[in-house]
Amino acid sequence: MCYRTFIVIAGSREAAFTYAITSAGVTYSITQACSLGKLKRCSCDQSKKKSKVLNEGWKWGGCSADIKHGLKFSRKFLDAREIEQNARSLMNKHNNRAGRKVSGHA
């Protein structure tokens, strides 16, 4: 068994960090892919797509990041393997949630 595998198996600060940083990374990656149009099931954040006219008639028309979709995908994808309701599973879900929290509005 390699050292990296042991860190995730054992309940440690390193394992907690690994779960949190993985969750944040998945959230960020999915959100970016949505904004760039690389995924079929999401696009721009529609709640921020209201036309805004600023000085001299300039109109905002950019694509805002759909962080809600990134958070939802990360929760479904990473928390799906935590099906047992034991202490370790609850801790892993907590660490995943912490990672999503630093990414957006978990």
Side-chain angles (χ1 to χ4, degrees):
M1 180 184 297
C2 73
Y3 180 68
R4 288 181 294 169
T5 305
F6 178 72
I7 287 174
V8 177
I9 291 173
S12 64
R13 288 178 276 179
E14 292 82 2
F17 178 76
T18 302
Y19 275 82
I21 200 73
T22 299
S23 181
V26 169
T27 302
Y28 176 81
S29 296
I30 294 298
T31 301
Q32 285 299 104
C34 286
S35 294
L36 297 173
K38 294 183 177 182
L39 300 176
K40 292 181 182 179
R41 295 187 175 205
C42 60
S43 61
C44 298
D45 183 0
Q46 297 301 320
S47 68
K48 297 182 180 177
K49 203 169 182 167
K50 299 172 185 159
S51 296
K52 293 186 179 181
V53 178
L54 301 177
N55 296 339
E56 302 171 16
W58 183 80
K59 187 176 179 181
W60 169 253
C63 182
S64 297
D66 191 358
I67 187 71
K68 291 177 188 174
H69 181 77
L71 291 167
K72 183 179 172 182
F73 181 90
S74 174
R75 185 174 52 254
K76 284 184 175 181
F77 182 72
L78 295 174
D79 290 353
R81 62 185 171 179
E82 305 299 337
I83 55 175
E84 296 180 29
Q85 292 299 314
N86 58 24
R88 179 61 191 255
S89 179
L90 294 173
M91 180 183 68
N92 292 344
K93 284 183 178 180
H94 168 78
N95 294 328
N96 288 341
R97 195 168 39 254
R100 286 190 295 270
K101 191 167 187 167
V102 299
S103 298
H105 307 284

